[in-house]
């Protein structure tokens, strides 16, 4: 059975040796588990999921780029709202991210145009310091999400300023994860061509 062990291990910056030490096994065993050269039992999946901080279902949820779906849109004031129905996207759009998320811009705001698709790369809130000054989605531990320029990050406390002019900073008291924008996909209207005289 193919798993996403390698995907989550790399996402967390761990080597096979690091993961092996946390599991009380060898790097060779981790390698065999990642490549399906060894049967991955439920017990192994539970242990690995606990070390990587994911659910067992995440480890067996298909290939790393099986599909990218836009599930939310960004509105004014940094509001992030769930879409009624997900929009499937090409998995290749997530290539710049290790843990890609996609968001659609609902209306023109700041330098973003309605319909823009933002691809973001989710990281734990504790890794936010290098993201200062970048546009990010910030999710708190209750699931509320905010979009804006990350201007402060101390522990789990963050401030993000939405992109429109004059917007007030939004405070996130207990951030769970932060996803900096890593790519922007903008669709332009098709070029209209005059009809031929034939």
């Amino acid at each position: 059975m193919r798993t996403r062990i390698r995907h989550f291990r790399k996402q967390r910056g761990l080597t096979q040796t690091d993961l092996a030490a946390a599991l009380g096994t060898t790097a060779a065993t981790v390698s065999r588990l990642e490549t399906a050269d060894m049967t991955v039992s439920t017990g192994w999946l539970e242990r690995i999921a606990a070390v990587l901080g994911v659910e067992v279902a995440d480890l067996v949820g298909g290939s790393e780029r099986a599909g990218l779906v836009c599930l939310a849109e960004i509105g004014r004031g940094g509001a992030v709202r769930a879409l009624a129905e997900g929009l499937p996207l090409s998995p290749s759009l997530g290539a710049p991210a290790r843990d890609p998320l996609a968001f659609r811009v609902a209306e023109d705001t700041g330098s973003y145009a309605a319909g823009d698709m933002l691809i973001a790369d989710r990281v734990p809130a504790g890794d936010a310091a290098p993201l200062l000054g970048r546009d990010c989605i910030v999710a708190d531990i209750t699931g509320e999400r905010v979009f804006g320029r990350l201007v402060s990050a101390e522990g789990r406390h963050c401030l993000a300023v939405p992109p429109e002019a004059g917007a007030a900073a939004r405070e996130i008291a207990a951030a769970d994860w932060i996803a900096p924008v890593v790519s922007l996909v903008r669709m332009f209207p098709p070029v209209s061509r005059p009809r031929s005289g034939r």
Side-chain angles (χ1 to χ4, degrees):
M1 169 178 62
R2 301 295 294 178
T3 67
R4 300 181 71 199
I5 297 168
R6 175 177 287 140
H7 168 72
F8 287 106
R9 173 180 61 77
K10 287 185 172 184
Q11 182 185 68
R12 279 139 181 81
L14 299 173
T15 65
Q16 288 180 339
T17 303
D18 296 333
L19 181 55
L23 292 168
T25 189
T26 66
T29 298
V30 170
S31 176
R32 290 197 308 271
L33 290 167
E34 288 183 346
T35 59
D37 289 343
M38 177 178 164
T39 301
V40 184
S41 67
T42 303
W44 271 116
L45 289 172
E46 289 170 350
R47 288 172 59 195
I48 293 166
V51 169
L52 296 176
V54 298
E55 299 295 324
V56 170
D58 295 329
L59 294 176
V60 294
S63 70
E64 293 176 27
R65 300 286 184 229
L68 181 62
V69 178
C70 176
L71 298 173
E73 67 181 3
I74 296 166
R76 289 204 162 288
V80 179
R81 298 177 291 270
L83 292 172
E85 187 175 326
L87 304 170
L89 302 171
S90 168
S92 64
L93 291 177
R98 288 181 287 180
D99 189 6
L101 300 170
F103 298 87
R104 182 178 67 187
V105 176
E107 55 190 296
D108 292 356
T109 180
S111 61
Y112 297 103
D116 283 354
M117 196 66 64
L118 306 180
I119 308 301
D121 191 1
R122 181 171 39 190
V123 298
D127 297 342
L131 306 177
L132 291 175
R134 296 203 37 196
D135 287 347
C136 299
I137 305 288
V138 183
D140 74 8
I141 59 174
T142 67
E144 182 181 351
R145 294 168 291 173
V146 171
F147 175 71
R149 177 82 31 102
L150 191 65
V151 295
S152 174
E154 295 181 23
R156 289 182 171 260
H157 185 266
C158 300
L159 286 176
V161 179
E164 63 265 18
R170 301 274 308 264
E171 180 179 13
I172 303 89
D176 183 27
W177 53 261
I178 298 176
V181 173
V182 294
S183 63
L184 163 73
V185 179
R186 178 168 287 169
M187 304 301 277
F188 294 97
V191 175
S192 60
R193 296 184 178 158
R195 293 181 169 217
S196 64
R198 292 191 261 176

